[in-house]
Amino acid sequence: MTIKTSLLMLCLSSSTLWMPAIHAEATVAQPNRQQTVTLNIENMTCAMCTITIKKALQKVDGVQQVTVDYDSKTAVVTFDGIKTDSAALIKATTDAGYPGTLAAPISR
């Protein structure tokens, strides 16, 4: 066997040793980053308040979607759970003049 052939065989055999490790790394599940919470919002006196609340929540890093409902006095917020949390969302609404609290989860 020549040196080139030996090196080629060595490279091929070592790459097959690494393949299971690469495959295993690729199949590791990522934690669910997207979360959705409903906040009960206080001090909402008119439909225009929804715009202020929505803007305040959208400024929080990681917020992906905001829906504010004047009739139910709630805000439904979808966000990246790694970048922010519900406490930061509540702080944003409170700082805007609309104290918020987490709504009780709906049991099914």
Side-chain angles (χ1 to χ4, degrees):
M1 219 188 273
T2 65
I3 294 178
K4 283 185 181 180
T5 307
S6 298
L7 287 175
L8 179 61
M9 291 182 69
L10 180 62
C11 287
L12 290 175
S13 64
S14 66
S15 66
T16 57
L17 292 174
W18 287 101
M19 292 301 270
I22 292 171
H23 177 69
E25 184 178 326
T27 58
V28 172
Q30 290 289 327
N32 186 7
R33 294 173 59 153
Q34 185 173 326
Q35 297 179 24
T36 302
V37 295
T38 301
L39 302 175
N40 293 321
I41 307 293
E42 297 177 31
N43 299 343
M44 247 197 278
T45 57
C46 68
M48 293 303 291
C49 294
T50 61
I51 295 169
T52 304
I53 295 164
K54 184 171 184 173
K55 286 182 178 181
L57 289 167
Q58 288 174 330
K59 289 179 182 178
V60 177
D61 186 36
V63 169
Q64 299 164 346
Q65 184 176 359
V66 178
T67 304
V68 181
D69 183 38
Y70 172 71
D71 293 329
S72 65
K73 308 278 193 268
T74 60
V76 178
V77 186
T78 302
F79 60 95
D80 182 337
I82 292 177
K83 293 183 178 181
T84 194
D85 58 14
S86 57
L89 302 175
I90 291 169
K91 182 178 179 342
T93 62
T94 302
D95 289 351
Y98 303 90
T101 57
L102 280 178
I106 299 171
S107 58
R108 297 180 191 233

